Amino acid sequence: MPSFRATIQITGLRPGHAPEEVMDMAVFTVGAAHVVEANQLDVVAGVPRITVRFMVEASEYDAENQQARNAAASMAHGVNTVAVSGMLRLFRRSAGKWLVL
């Protein structure tokens, strides 16, 4: 199964939401359709960034990428219900490297 990771910057919380809800929402939205392998929180140049690593069902290359794009878009939409977010990036694992999609 191909492996992907989606990263999104978090620039603030929406009123009434706790910080842990951001990662919970990201994992929940991706996990609704795909196997989540890992997740993590990093702070890069003072800006929090969450990463969710997940797998999609093996099929045709472009279809796999589209499934991953849909998952990343769903993640961003879900995260935006509890937080204010910034840049979203998607990567595909290939030959031991993470390639930007």
Side-chain angles (χ1 to χ4, degrees), residues 23 49 70 80 92:
M23 184 65 77
R49 179 180 68 194
N70 292 344
N80 278 313
R92 181 182 178 127

Side-chain angles (χ1 to χ4, degrees), residues 33-71:
H34 304 288
V35 174
V36 173
E37 297 179 281
N39 63 75
Q40 68 185 48
L41 168 68
D42 298 299
V43 178
V44 180
V47 178
R49 179 180 68 194
I50 59 173
T51 301
V52 176
R53 183 174 170 175
F54 60 99
M55 296 183 294
V56 302
E57 284 294 322
S59 63
E60 190 267 327
Y61 185 84
D62 289 335
E64 294 165 352
N65 289 345
Q66 188 58 52
Q67 286 183 57
R69 285 185 187 97
N70 292 344

